[in-house]
């Protein structure tokens, strides 16, 4: 079996203040609204956003929610950063696993949000591209969500 891996780093400056950005991230119901691509859905079954906590979500097509994600929060620094591991599966089989870091930094324009994902794909490079696109879309949609 070949394992593809990559470090993906995306940064976006949002015009909102850090407290507002953090509030949109920390609220699981809000996160499930802005973090999925149009035409797809996400259900967050559990979310304990704290160091040592965990989260489980299902996502994909609204009628199937064919992907399951399990997150273990390694370190959560309120309104500054979140570091977690994440494994995505379908049909019980792992597709990818990774270490993901979100940072929230105050800048004159608002808040710089940086997502760094160190991902190992068990199903080829397409999963890496999907991860990159998913995070890119999430950042774009978070910006739009905060603009109202």
């Amino acid at each position: 079996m070949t394992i593809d891996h990559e470090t993906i780093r995306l940064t976006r400056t949002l015009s909102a203040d850090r407290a507002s950005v953090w509030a949109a991230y920390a609220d699981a119901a809000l996160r499930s609204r802005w973090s999925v691509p149009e035409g797809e859905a996400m259900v967050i079954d559990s979310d304990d956003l704290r160091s040592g906590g965990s989260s489980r979500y299902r996502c994909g097509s609204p009628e199937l929610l064919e992907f399951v994600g399990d997150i273990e929060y390694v370190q959560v620094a309120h309104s500054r950063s979140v570091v977690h591991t994440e494994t995505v599966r379908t049909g019980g089989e792992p597709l990818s696993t990774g270490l993901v870091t979100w940072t929230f930094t105050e800048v004159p324009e608002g808040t710089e949000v940086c997502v760094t994902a160190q991902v190992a794909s068990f199903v080829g490079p397409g999963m890496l591209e999907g991860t990159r696109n998913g995070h890119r879309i999430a950042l774009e949609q978070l910006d739009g969500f905060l603009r109202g």
Side-chain angles (χ1 to χ4, degrees):
M1 168 169 66
T2 301
I3 299 174
D4 294 290
H5 53 86
E6 186 173 338
T7 298
I8 298 162
R9 186 170 192 267
L10 302 166
T11 302
R12 186 172 182 108
T13 300
L14 310 179
S15 59
D17 63 83
R18 188 165 66 173
S20 298
V21 175
W22 176 256
Y25 183 93
D27 185 313
L30 295 179
R31 192 176 341 124
S32 70
R33 289 175 41 200
W34 58 258
S35 65
V36 295
E38 188 175 330
E40 295 186 15
M42 173 185 274
V43 174
I44 298 178
D45 295 312
S46 63
D47 190 53
D48 184 11
L49 182 64
R50 64 176 177 82
S51 298
S54 63
S55 178
R56 174 169 266 210
Y57 65 87
R58 293 171 289 131
C59 64
S61 60
E63 53 283 338
L64 295 177
L65 297 173
E66 61 268 35
F67 304 105
V68 175
D70 288 302
I71 292 174
E72 296 293 327
Y73 293 112
V74 177
Q75 183 183 58
V76 176
H78 186 277
S79 79
R80 293 190 317 264
S81 63
V82 175
V83 179
H84 65 81
T85 61
E86 179 175 29
T87 299
V88 178
R89 295 178 175 84
T90 191
E93 294 297 316
L95 301 173
S96 68
T97 195
L99 176 66
V100 182
T101 302
W102 286 71
T103 59
F104 309 90
T105 306
E106 290 181 44
V107 294
E109 302 86 357
T111 305
E112 181 182 270
V113 180
C114 180
V115 180
T116 303
Q118 297 166 300
V119 184
S121 169
F122 311 116
V123 294
M127 189 67 185
L128 300 174
E129 190 58 32
T131 300
R132 178 183 294 101
N133 284 334
H135 285 304
R136 180 186 55 75
I137 290 167
L139 286 172
E140 288 172 5
Q141 292 181 165
L142 174 57
D143 192 22
F145 177 82
L146 291 166
R147 290 177 188 263

